[in-house]
Amino acid sequence: MNRFFVIALSMVAWLSSAVAEPGDAARGLRGFRICAPCHSLEADRNMTGPSLAGLWERRAGSLPSFERYSDALKSSGIIWDDRSLDAWLTDPDRMVPDNEMPFNGIRDPQHRADLLAFLKEATKPGAAPQMRAQGPMEGMGGMMGGGRVPNLKSLESNMQVKTITYCHDTYRVTTTDGKTRAFWERNLRLKTDSGKDGPQSGAPALVPAGMMGDRADVIFAAPEEISKAIEARC
Ligand code: HEC
């Protein structure tokens, strides 16, 4: 074998290992677990990141209902398609320096091809509700579940907050079922959700957080409700 032939053969071997086989949407659904805590597939259901519904052919940073895009992404001029999404998922910081997606990228070309095969189907208009009906999002579990957070509009009595008192370093939260729980002040987070999953105004929700049972969130409908709801009393 002459030298040129050896080089040509090793190029072929390298190329065929670098080029992924066609993406497998079923494997891609599993891959979506790393995106699901931040991205939903339902139109305008935004979380840390924008909803990915209707992603293909969309201009980067252009979903009107998402208000936290970085200037870098908004001014990137990218149109999302197979190629640009592959580059974004390989290394977001390289493609759009100063973007604000807290994600390092997926190095394995096959994992990216699988994920994109899944996303291309799942982000088509009308696809998300149908997928839910078929249930492939099940098993993603609770708060992480495929972009679902619990709806707090109607609450069980053990979650509906009646009063909150504050004494020294302790919050005591009484729910409408009459139970009172005490939290070290650093373990109770006071949050708001003004969206359609948020609580009714004046009816904040107590939501467990973390594994040990010592932490929780109280979620209010609006920031001005927070200090009004807390009574300093020992
Ligand atoms: C920890 C949260 C987080 C994770 C995990 C995450 N993203 Fe993002 N994503 C964001 C944020 C925030 C933005 C907006 C970035 C900006 O404006 O610079 C974003 C932007 C995007 C965009 C651009 C959307 C648009 O409207 O222009 C796409 C596409 C995207 N992410 C896909 C994914 C995929 C696919 C995954 C999983 C492999 C993923 N993201 C993982 C938070 C996340």
Side-chain angles (χ1 to χ4, degrees):
M1 252 190 272
N2 70 26
R3 236 171 101 198
F4 171 76
F5 194 61
V6 171
I7 292 171
L9 260 185
S10 48
M11 286 281 286
V12 170
W14 177 80
L15 273 176
S16 52
S17 70
V19 174
E21 49 177 287
D24 177 308
R27 283 196 306 245
L29 166 64
R30 291 197 294 275
F32 186 67
R33 281 169 197 239
I34 46 174
C35 326
C38 296
H39 290 289
S40 93
L41 299 170
E42 266 173 78
D44 294 320
R45 185 182 287 276
N46 301 314
M47 299 188 296
T48 305
S51 159
L52 298 182
L55 184 62
W56 261 254
E57 311 308 328
R58 187 161 100 193
R59 216 184 146 80
S62 72
L63 188 67
S65 61
F66 185 71
E67 297 181 14
R68 291 178 296 282
Y69 283 117
S70 62
D71 292 338
L73 193 63
K74 278 192 286 193
S75 60
S76 67
I78 296 167
I79 306 289
W80 293 125
D81 60 18
D82 295 352
R83 274 188 67 180
S84 58
L85 283 166
D86 189 63
W88 172 248
L89 295 182
T90 305
D91 188 346
D93 288 331
R94 187 156 170 215
M95 190 184 199
V96 184
D98 299 326
N99 82 82
E100 279 165 25
M101 174 155 114
F103 185 69
N104 287 333
I106 304 170
R107 295 291 175 268
D108 184 327
Q110 188 64 55
H111 288 175
R112 290 196 307 275
D114 293 344
L115 181 55
L116 288 177
F118 163 72
L119 278 178
K120 199 168 187 173
E121 285 306 309
T123 58
K124 280 186 182 155
Q130 193 192 333
M131 288 191 358
R132 261 207 320 287
Q134 290 167 3
M137 284 303 191
E138 276 162 29
M140 284 188 158
M143 296 286 274
M144 307 293 264
R148 304 291 300 184
V149 292
N151 185 297
L152 304 176
K153 283 276 183 287
S154 64
L155 293 169
E156 303 278 324
S157 59
N158 63 348
M159 283 178 77
Q160 182 159 340
V161 174
K162 204 165 108 198
T163 59
I164 306 174
T165 64
Y166 178 62
C167 175
H168 306 310
D169 66 352
T170 303
Y171 286 108
R172 287 192 173 74
V173 181
T174 304
T175 39
T176 51
D177 62 357
K179 289 219 171 70
T180 299
R181 269 153 280 204
F183 296 92
W184 177 38
E185 61 183 335
R186 281 247 184 166
N187 284 351
L188 191 73
R189 289 196 184 148
L190 307 171
K191 302 181 173 179
T192 57
D193 185 346
S194 58
K196 59 181 181 208
D197 291 321
Q200 314 265 17
S201 82
L206 179 68
V207 181
M211 313 291 274
M212 311 297 286
D214 61 336
R215 283 151 212 256
D217 300 333
V218 178
I219 305 180
F220 296 82
E224 59 271 20
E225 290 185 13
I226 297 179
S227 51
K228 271 193 235 156
I230 299 168
E231 190 195 340
R233 166 157 63 84
C234 288

